[in-house]
């Protein structure tokens, strides 16, 4: 377990090697109209196949950072580079997921899943992907739900379909903005284990925004703690629990110490 | 014996709390509707009987019902009233079509572009507050005395709710869904067609329902003014002849036409916007 | 005199020139002198005039003869008392440059009318059937409404002739559509709108009716004097300021109205209704379907009982 | 040199990605509205110039503007047009008031009771599809030639959206809020007054906005038909005289009256329903 | 730590004494119209000053049970007795709180808080309670927010106001239906500690519905585990951690064992 203070330096925590996939340098963001500085000089390197989390008080700029990384918003200054190419807009090698599953009720589950293909390459290409979509549904345990409409899916099932939709384009990185926080805790734990399994299976590079300390610790190789607005990384904590993780590890004393450490950091920031 | 045991065994009867459904909620719908209709007819007959109103202003309900049969027979035997109804139906159908196309187009302009929303919409609102019948001569001089001019007036009277419905619908997609489309790299056109339009369908349809009612009124008013050969003209003639039972029975048939148009739209909504459950009130309107 | 009698008079259209005697009487305070307090209201058409009267909202109204017959058929005891437009208010007009010179030239023509079965339809049908022309075979009617709609019909060439109220024709001419009237003289006996009241009102207030008519006669004669023209136009302008704003139009309209209120035979006095003209109307109402069956007592639809009293003073 | 370092130092310029705001969104609102108006006037003038329509059907824009000044002067000098406008304004105000009271009452009946919703509402919908102008003589014969009959027709034409708005508003309170009131032991009346009505205000007000526009149309149509001395009567006289510039300028002033009514309602909504932010489209309508 | 299987018997877990406040006998509920049996013969005794939780899979009937206890819905059979009197409708000695704060936007915070008094005793009585409402606002840390409108409160602040509204009527029992599950985890932990403090201060009898196992354990004296629909209590677990509890106790091994035990029970039911 190694803890590094990184202030303004794009230093990857020690002990993590692998090709750098995402590189952010001095990314900051000010919303001019409302005169809000949401992010202050964030530097970040994500390496291939790692799982990183970011945790911080509400409104500190986590979603803003993710949107900039995904090419949905330009930064006010700084640069974002993915796989050697600067991010200047949405890209198909980025997969993204939000708190709401946002499945479209007029499309069946499988049609929802191939939607990104349909948007980018047309209906024919989407149809060609149906087989692959079915395999993904298998992967997340939704076999047999291909042709039902989303109104018949529970919250957790809808989020699983959203995972499939994210994966269908075979993205190099996954950006996850509190993907399961609308689910009840039992389903959420379950979905987190599913997520880990999928990421390991595909060697995906993942970046997760969360409010839950145990969730961040159980899933991540590195947990970044962010300060209140304007958001800055105040600490990066490497989690050296073995993979694959299980829910039982939550009773592990190492787990407890990590959680405790992060909570202390956050308490300082969040509730003065 | 502990206190807990005492309590647990001592409450056999009055703790049993049952829901009760008011008898008025258990009356079948058709019964209450019929009751209301009969009550209304009785009041009407009394008003007539004590001669509160002259018969050339308000006919008696009996006369009106009698005339309903006369008109009904005429319609069924394919006589001149059927021809008139057919003309008005055509006007309504075409007027509705044009109102939908025009309203949809302008609604997209207003809902999708800042220019439409900020510069065009205020004019549309202003036009909507004008008494549109005053423009009837314009339509006649451009389109003649056939059904075209009535269709134009009907569409003109009915198109506004379609604009409002369409524009509101285009604003209905939430931030999440928009962002999702952005991550997929969807073009503006794709976002419009695949996201905003389907999500906006419920709003669009409530605009259509308003339009469905207005278009009937528009067609009839067009016939009142510009001499057509439809139901409006029949009403006008009957009114000029002080044949009030006929006026009333024609109006009742017209309102059936209006209800039919409304129902068709409501049916289309249930059929094509199958994923959207309506509010209770809207459901009533649609039944 | 002590307290004055209040009456409401309801007209089928808001034009003041059309009803200049009424407005002259108001302007010259002639009603006041007779102890009448007259309120004038305008609705939309004869049937509404009759409805307002039968509801007791107005004591005297100015319906057309055909609607009066229709109302009587429906059991409303309304009686025509004063023949205001003693000549037909309708005329068949054609564009100035048209080749049509007389009704017999209308073979094959489309004739514009206000409503599908307005009074002008019966009027025109009577003229043409005397010439052995049949509707649908030799000519057709097209209901075009009035005002701008009728003008549009002429401009578009949808109609060759228009069976119009004279005031409509006058207005169109004033607006630059040159028209020519081709109505044969004898058909002017289809007299137009006049004053009517409920039978019960006449029976209970004979003096009021007498006073009202006397003032109308007085005002008519005042208005017809050429030297009073300016005053007349002043009074009608007071009654309908917007109409009066266009002086040229008002003057033209005034000339038309003067002609139409003047009966061919003036010997019987103002307001007189020739029984044979009523018979004509009755016949035409039955033929056009306004009446489902002939009235059992068509003579009860009108009365000339006040005519002499009205004209006494002026003679 | 690792790959990471290369990447990190080598992207100075083209990675800097800036948002750009389209010039059309930066045009001030009044500029685009004025531009649209001028464009419209030019098209109108061209239509007039090439004599697409006879001047007794469509006046020239110049004539119309001239007449706008004539009417404006008449209004300002307190001449007969001001009197007419005052009458129509009274009719609109009273008609609106009655439409609101009546519509609210029926809306509560429909929204609160199963009987109202299931039995009364279908009849209200049917009535709404009737050409209401046909009832004008009834109002005149009951209420006379004064403003009362026009007020009644205006209210009759305008009351329906208030019903729909009120009823929809009463359904707007969610399950949570209802349950909360239940836990407090609130009576049906308290739930109505303290919960459902305030929560339903936004719906109620959008009904009022529709009614505000309709009530002007209703008052004018009432004057067209039933006599009276308001603006509708002026339009009728001008139309009968084929004085089209006047007809157009009167209509424009009337639409200002309609907009004013609409704005008053929108203002009242902002004032009294301060907690509710409207959608963008509604905001435009309200500006 | 004592574990008791209670099947169809109104037995309070051993080690908990105190006057019984709430007593349920054979409460079951079937929704006739949709033919759903939501609850199957629930027996329950809550003793004065205790904190109990109920945890179970989604849709098992927890909310239904709470509504029956609060007198919002009649049971299909069985009886509910509070303080010796049968519950036959809403009562002022019951305080209730839901997942949504449901403050009314046209009332200021303090007006929202005195609403239950206004509903029951009129405006004058409500005004008389303003002082007490202000004290409650102090208690939950909302001093100074009396006269702002709810739109200016964050989610956590709104829930605190909702607590005040529940407490203003001085209820004998608190029924809490996932009161903080809409908050992010950091705020939620914080609010839970506040809730404990308030309950201890007032010696309130509380009954909490939750989806979160750690939350149930950290707050409760007894945790009831419910089976999937139709809901029945399958286990009652007594938590004998000392009071007042702190978040740090989550690292306590006893805590870990309890969580583990409950999770095992639920896994059996929830995800077969
Ligand atoms: N489009 C925008 N315009 C102006 N301000 C914005 C915009 N988007 C976000 N903000 C502001 O930027 C700050 C950071 O927002 P952001 O959504 O990134 O926070 P967050 O860390 O994701 O919060 P949460 O945990 O609640 O999701 C907030 O103060 C927010 O109000
Ligand atoms: N009014 C009702 N009519 C019909 N069925 C209902 C009603 N209320 C609840 N139910 C059904 O009863 C069952 C239990 O519902 P309940 O809300 O009590 O579950 P819950 O345990 O609170 O679930 P959650 O954890 O999702 O809140 C569900 O299947 C639900 O669909
Ligand atoms: Mg966020
Ligand atoms: Mg629940």
């Amino acid at each position: 377990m190694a803890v590094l203070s990184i202030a303004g330096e794009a230093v990857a925590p020690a002990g993590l090697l692998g090709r750098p996939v995402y590189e952010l340098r001095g990314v900051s963001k000010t919303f001019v109209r409302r005169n809000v500085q949401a992010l202050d000089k964030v530097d970040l390197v994500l390496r291939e196949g790692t799982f990183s989390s970011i945790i911080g008080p509400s409104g500190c700029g986590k979603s803003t950072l993710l949107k900039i990384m995904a090419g949905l918003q330009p930064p006010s200054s700084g640069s974002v580079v993915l796989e050697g190419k600067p991010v200047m807009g949405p890209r198909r090698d980025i997969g993204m997921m939000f708190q709401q599953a946002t499945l479209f009720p007029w499309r069946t589950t499988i049609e929802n899943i191939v939607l990104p293909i349909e948007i980018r390459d047309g209906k024919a290409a989407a149809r060609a992907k149906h087989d692959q979509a079915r395999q993904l549904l298998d992967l997340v345990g939704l076999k047999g739900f291909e042709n039902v409409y989303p109104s018949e899916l529970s919250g957790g099932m809808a989020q699983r379909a959203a995972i499939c939709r994210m994966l269908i384009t075979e993205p190099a990185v996954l950006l996850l903005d509190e993907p399961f926080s609308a689910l009840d805790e039992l389903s959420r734990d379950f979905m987190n284990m599913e997520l880990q399994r999928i990421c390991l299976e595909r060697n995906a590079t993942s970046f997760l925004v969360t409010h839950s300390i145990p969730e961040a610790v159980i899933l991540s190789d590195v947990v970044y703690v962010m300060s209140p607005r304007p958001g800055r990384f105040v600490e990066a904590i490497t989690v050296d629990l073995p993979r694959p993780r299980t829910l039982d590890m939550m009773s592990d004393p190492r787990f407890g110490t990590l959680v405790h450490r992060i909570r202390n950091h956050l308490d300082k920031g969040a509730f003065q | 014996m502990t206190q807990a045991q005492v309590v647990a065994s001592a409450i056999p009867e009055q703790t049993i709390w049952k829901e009760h459904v008011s008898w008025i909620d258990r009356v079948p719908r058709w019964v209450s509707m019929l009751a209301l209709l009969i009550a209304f007819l009785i009041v009407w007959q009394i008003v007539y009987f004590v001669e509160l109103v002259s018969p050339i202003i308000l006919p008696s309900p009996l006369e009106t019902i009698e005339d309903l049969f006369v008109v009904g027979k005429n319609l069924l035997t394919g006589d001149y009233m059927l021809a008139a109804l057919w003309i008005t139906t055509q006007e309504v159908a075409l007027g509705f079509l044009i109102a939908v196309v025009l309203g949809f187009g302008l609604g997209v302009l207003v809902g999708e572009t800042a220019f439409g929303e900020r510069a065009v919409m205020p004019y549309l609102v202003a036009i909507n507050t004008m008494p549109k019948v005053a423009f009837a001569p314009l339509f006649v001089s451009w389109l003649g005395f056939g059904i075209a001019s009535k269709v134009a007036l009907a569409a003109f009277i009915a198109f506004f709710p379609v604009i409002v419905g369409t524009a509101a619908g285009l604003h209905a997609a939430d931030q999440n869904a928009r962002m999702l489309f952005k991550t997929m790299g969807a073009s503006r056109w794709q976002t419009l067609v695949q996201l905003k339009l389907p999500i906006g369908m419920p709003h669009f349809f409530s605009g259509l329902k308003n339009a469905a009612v207005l278009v009937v009124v528009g067609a009839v008013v067009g016939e009142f003014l510009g001499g057509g050969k439809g139901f409006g003209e029949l009403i006008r003639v009957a009114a000029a002849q002080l044949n009030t039972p006929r006026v009333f029975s024609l109006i009742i048939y017209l309102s059936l036409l209006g209800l039919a148009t409304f129902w068709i739209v409501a049916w289309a909504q249930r059929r094509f916007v199958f994923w959207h459950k309506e509010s209770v009130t809207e459901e009533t309107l649609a039944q | 005199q002590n307290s004055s009698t209040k009456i409401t008079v309801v007209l089928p259209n808001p034009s003041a020139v059309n009803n200049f005697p009424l407005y002259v009487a108001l302007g010259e305070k002639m009603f006041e002198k007779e102890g009448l307090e007259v309120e004038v209201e305008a609705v939309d058409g004869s049937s509404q005039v009759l409805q307002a009267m039968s509801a007791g909202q107005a004591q005297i109204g100015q319906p057309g003869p055909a609607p009066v017959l229709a109302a009587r058929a429906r059991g409303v005891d309304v009686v025509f008392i004063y023949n205001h437009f003693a000549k037909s208010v309708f005329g068949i007009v054609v564009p100035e440059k048209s080749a049509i010179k007389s009704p017999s030239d209308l073979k094959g023509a489309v004739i514009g009318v206000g409503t599908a079965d307005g009074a002008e339809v019966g009027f025109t049908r009577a003229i043409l059937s005397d010439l052995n022309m049949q509707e649908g075979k030799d000519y057709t009617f097209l209901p075009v409404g009035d005002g701008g709609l009728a003008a549009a019909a002429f401009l578009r060439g949808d109609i060759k002739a228009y069976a119009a109220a004279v005031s409509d024709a006058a207005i169109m001419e004033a607006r630059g559509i040159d028209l020519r009237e081709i109505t044969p003289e004898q058909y002017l006996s289809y007299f137009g709108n006049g004053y009517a009241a409920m039978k019960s009102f006449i029976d209970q207030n004979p003096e009021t009716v007498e006073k009202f008519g006397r003032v109308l006669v007085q005002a008519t004669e005042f208005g017809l004097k050429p030297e009073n023209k300016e005053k007349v136009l002043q009074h009608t302008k007071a009654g309908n300021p917007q109409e009066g704003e266009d002086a040229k139009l008002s003057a033209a309209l005034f000339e038309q109205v003067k002609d139409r209120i003047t009966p061919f035979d003036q010997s019987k006095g103002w307001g007189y209704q020739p029984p044979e003209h009523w018979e004509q109307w009755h016949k035409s109402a039955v033929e056009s379907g306004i009446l489902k069956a002939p009235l059992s007592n068509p003579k009860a639809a009108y009365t000339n009982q006040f005519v002499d009293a009205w004209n006494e003073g002026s003679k």
Side-chain angles (χ1 to χ4, degrees), chain A, chain B, chain C:
Chain A
M1 186 164 82
V3 175
L4 280 135
S5 265
I6 46 163
E9 274 296 307
V11 181
L16 274 176
L17 292 167
R19 194 168 60 83
V21 174
Y22 240 126
E23 285 164 285
L24 278 71
R25 276 194 79 93
V27 168
S28 65
K29 177 77 185 179
T30 306
F31 292 103
V32 186
R33 272 188 231 171
R34 287 174 52 202
N35 197 23
V36 167
Q37 189 181 0
L39 282 180
D40 182 20
K41 288 226 182 67
V42 171
D43 299 274
L44 178 68
V45 175
L46 299 184
R47 288 173 191 276
E48 192 170 18
T50 61
F51 197 113
S52 317
S53 296
I54 170 171
I55 196 162
S58 194
C60 72
K62 303 180 293 297
S63 297
T64 305
L65 177 63
L66 232 67
K67 281 184 214 159
I68 291 172
M69 289 171 72
L72 294 175
Q73 257 176 8
S76 302
S77 66
S79 70
V80 181
V81 177
L82 169 61
E83 298 279 14
K85 277 170 290 182
V87 174
M88 317 265 296
R91 277 167 56 165
R92 71 184 306 158
D93 51 358
I94 301 172
M96 208 167 168
M97 223 177 128
F98 307 101
Q99 188 172 347
Q100 307 302 328
T102 315
L103 300 179
F104 299 106
W106 54 89
R107 292 173 159 265
T108 60
T109 308
I110 201 160
E111 286 168 354
N112 264 290
I113 290 170
V114 298
L115 180 62
I117 307 291
E118 190 177 326
I119 293 282
R120 286 208 169 89
D121 307 321
K123 276 206 193 307
R127 250 191 313 280
K129 284 274 189 174
H130 270 211
D131 269 347
Q132 201 177 329
R134 248 176 243 114
Q135 282 165 24
L136 283 169
L137 281 168
D138 268 17
L139 178 72
V140 301
L142 279 184
K143 203 182 169 90
F145 286 88
E146 291 86 351
N147 297 317
V148 307
Y149 285 94
S151 58
E152 291 175 44
L153 301 180
S154 74
M157 287 157 86
Q159 279 295 15
R160 285 183 227 188
I163 295 180
C164 297
R165 182 177 56 195
M166 170 177 73
L167 295 176
I168 193 90
T169 49
E170 298 179 21
V173 290
L174 308 182
L175 302 179
L176 308 156
D177 196 350
E178 309 186 37
F180 307 130
S181 66
L183 304 184
D184 66 75
E185 191 159 308
L186 302 173
S187 322
R188 183 172 172 172
D189 285 343
F190 184 79
M191 288 301 293
N192 277 332
M193 290 302 103
E194 294 272 298
L195 178 65
Q196 176 189 230
R197 183 171 61 81
I198 291 162
C199 289
L200 287 178
E201 224 164 80
R202 315 184 127 231
N203 193 33
T205 310
S206 312
F207 192 56
L208 169 80
V209 166
T210 179
H211 275 118
S212 165
I213 305 173
E215 179 174 282
V217 173
I218 205 77
L219 285 173
S220 311
D221 301 306
V222 197
V223 177
Y224 295 92
V225 179
M226 219 172 185
S227 69
R229 215 179 56 211
R232 258 173 312 105
F233 289 161
V234 290
E235 200 178 350
I237 294 160
T238 307
V239 180
D240 48 6
L241 297 169
R243 295 258 179 209
R245 313 264 170 84
T246 61
L247 291 176
D248 284 341
M249 286 184 189
M250 290 192 183
S251 330
D252 191 309
R254 283 187 297 177
F255 182 89
T257 325
L258 282 165
V259 168
H260 189 76
R261 170 169 204 106
I262 296 175
R263 175 168 291 125
N264 275 349
H265 257 287
L266 282 170
D267 280 354
K268 264 184 272 163
F271 308 103
Q272 286 87 345
Chain B
M1 207 147 80
T2 69
Q3 199 189 349
Q5 279 170 312
V6 174
V7 175
S9 56
I11 339 119
E13 256 317 296
Q14 73 271 52
T15 56
I16 299 186
W17 174 38
K18 291 272 166 220
E19 263 171 315
H20 82 121
V21 180
S22 141
W23 66 268
I24 205 149
D25 288 344
R26 278 176 307 185
V27 173
R29 186 198 182 102
W30 68 268
V31 173
S32 40
M33 284 190 70
L34 196 68
L36 207 65
L37 183 65
I38 290 170
F40 174 72
L41 289 178
I42 289 173
V43 172
W44 183 1
Q45 182 70 52
I46 289 172
V47 167
Y48 181 81
F49 209 71
V50 302
E51 299 201 344
L52 266 176
V53 200
S54 143
I56 61 166
I57 293 162
L58 186 69
S60 82
L62 285 177
E63 276 182 299
T64 307
I65 291 169
E66 222 173 84
D67 207 89
L68 279 176
F69 283 106
V70 174
V71 174
K73 205 180 131 202
N74 195 309
L75 288 174
L76 288 177
T77 55
D79 208 347
Y80 69 99
M81 287 190 192
L82 186 70
L85 182 63
W86 172 232
I87 287 174
T88 302
T89 307
Q90 279 176 297
E91 288 164 7
V92 165
L94 290 172
F96 187 65
L97 208 75
I98 293 173
V100 171
V101 171
L102 198 73
F104 179 76
L106 284 170
V108 170
L109 181 72
V110 167
E112 267 289 289
T113 69
F115 174 73
E117 182 167 350
R118 297 164 61 214
V120 179
M121 194 62 187
Y123 287 114
L124 293 174
V125 174
I127 288 174
N128 193 42
T129 63
M130 295 177 178
K132 303 192 187 69
V133 292
F135 294 101
L138 258 181
F139 291 125
V140 168
S141 66
W142 277 326
L143 301 167
F145 288 92
I147 70 165
S149 55
K150 282 98 210 163
V151 167
L153 188 66
F156 187 39
I157 286 180
F159 82 121
F160 192 74
V162 185
I163 296 180
V164 173
T166 309
L170 291 179
H171 287 290
D174 65 10
Q175 203 47 44
N176 269 306
R178 281 160 207 255
M179 207 146 67
L180 187 69
F181 263 69
K182 223 171 154 186
T183 64
M184 297 185 213
S187 66
R188 186 167 183 172
W189 173 250
Q190 284 176 317
T191 309
L192 179 66
V193 171
Q194 305 232 39
L195 172 65
K196 292 182 174 184
L197 288 181
I199 279 202
M201 275 298 136
H203 289 90
F204 176 65
F205 269 97
S206 58
L208 289 196
K209 282 181 194 164
N210 283 323
V213 169
L214 286 179
V215 81
V216 176
V217 174
V220 171
V221 169
E223 290 176 2
F224 276 176
L225 297 170
K229 299 187 163 58
F231 243 57
E233 179 68 9
L234 292 184
I235 293 181
R236 192 179 163 201
V237 167
Q241 294 183 345
L242 296 170
N243 187 355
T244 39
R246 175 60 50 83
V247 172
F248 273 61
S249 70
L250 289 173
I251 286 179
I252 290 168
Y253 278 102
L254 254 186
S255 97
L256 293 183
L257 181 62
L259 284 176
T261 324
F262 186 93
W263 278 327
I264 289 170
V265 176
W267 172 85
Q269 175 167 18
R270 274 198 299 277
R271 173 85 183 66
F272 296 114
V273 196
F274 57 88
W275 62 87
H276 182 252
K277 275 247 188 78
E278 297 209 296
S279 84
V280 199
T281 313
E282 282 178 326
E283 267 169 30
T284 310
L285 285 169
Q287 271 162 8
Chain C
Q1 73 220 91
N2 30 32
S3 70
S4 55
T5 317
K6 259 179 111 160
I7 53 170
T8 301
V9 177
V10 58
L11 302 177
N13 65 67
S15 168
V17 178
N18 260 325
N19 303 293
F20 75 86
L22 197 56
Y23 287 92
V24 166
L26 285 169
E28 295 289 327
K29 312 229 182 299
M30 294 174 177
F31 286 125
E32 274 175 38
K33 280 173 215 147
E34 288 276 10
L36 292 179
E37 199 181 312
V38 172
E39 187 81 44
V40 179
E41 299 287 353
V43 291
D44 191 31
S46 291
S47 45
Q48 287 195 34
V49 167
L50 289 162
Q51 287 172 331
M53 285 164 66
S54 69
Q57 294 290 349
Q59 288 69 48
I60 293 176
Q62 198 202 60
V68 165
L69 293 174
R72 293 193 62 82
R74 300 266 304 141
V76 178
D77 199 358
V78 63
V79 180
F80 215 86
I81 51 172
Y82 185 109
N83 198 351
H84 173 57
F85 283 111
K87 288 183 203 146
S88 172
V89 279
F90 299 110
I92 301 176
V93 292
V94 295
E96 184 75 73
K97 295 197 189 78
S98 168
I100 298 169
K101 302 282 184 224
S102 76
S104 52
D105 297 336
L106 284 170
K107 219 172 175 70
V110 177
I111 304 167
V113 292
T115 357
D117 72 340
E120 71 275 24
V121 177
F123 171 77
T124 312
R125 199 185 278 130
I127 296 173
L128 294 177
S129 59
D130 286 353
L131 291 166
N132 284 325
M133 288 202 258
Q134 262 186 358
E135 187 187 346
K137 205 168 110 236
D138 300 309
Y139 65 94
T140 50
F141 287 126
L142 177 65
V144 295
D146 51 17
L149 294 161
F154 260 131
L155 293 166
R156 287 173 50 86
D158 287 336
I159 53 176
K160 288 273 178 292
Y162 180 41
V166 282
S167 52
D168 283 346
I171 289 165
M172 276 195 250
E173 278 199 83
R175 297 290 176 209
I177 304 176
D178 292 330
L179 298 173
R180 186 153 38 81
E181 194 175 343
I182 57 169
T183 324
E185 279 263 306
Q186 70 267 29
Y187 292 99
L188 295 177
S189 55
Y190 282 91
F191 62 92
N193 292 32
Y195 293 97
M198 302 298 287
K199 181 85 167 42
S200 55
F201 179 79
I202 300 169
D203 289 347
Q204 284 156 31
N205 307 279
E207 324 86 78
T208 308
V209 175
E210 202 181 310
K211 287 176 188 168
F212 180 76
R214 188 152 55 225
V215 171
L216 278 185
V217 170
Q218 227 180 310
T220 307
E221 295 196 325
F222 176 93
L224 288 179
K225 292 201 179 96
E227 65 269 27
N228 288 337
K229 184 178 172 186
E230 283 313 306
K231 274 194 178 159
V232 172
L233 290 177
Q234 219 176 301
H235 293 321
T236 53
K237 187 174 179 180
N240 187 338
Q242 198 175 233
E243 185 185 46
E245 264 173 24
D246 194 333
K248 231 180 78 201
L249 183 59
S250 298
L253 203 54
F254 180 49
E255 293 309 320
Q256 290 274 6
V257 173
K258 273 204 301 199
D259 172 43
R260 298 290 165 146
I261 67 168
T262 310
F264 288 118
D265 177 8
Q266 294 200 38
S267 63
K268 304 272 190 186
W270 297 101
Y272 178 73
Q273 307 154 63
E276 62 275 19
H277 292 179
W278 266 109
E279 271 156 35
Q280 259 181 336
W281 265 121
H282 184 241
K283 201 173 124 231
S284 134
V286 173
E287 278 167 6
S288 63
I290 293 174
L291 293 178
K292 286 202 192 80
L295 292 180
S296 57
N297 183 12
K299 286 198 165 33
Y302 63 97
T303 174
N304 283 318
Q305 72 178 97
F306 298 100
V307 174
D308 289 339
W310 292 333
N311 288 284
E312 224 164 68
S314 62
K315 268 178 189 162

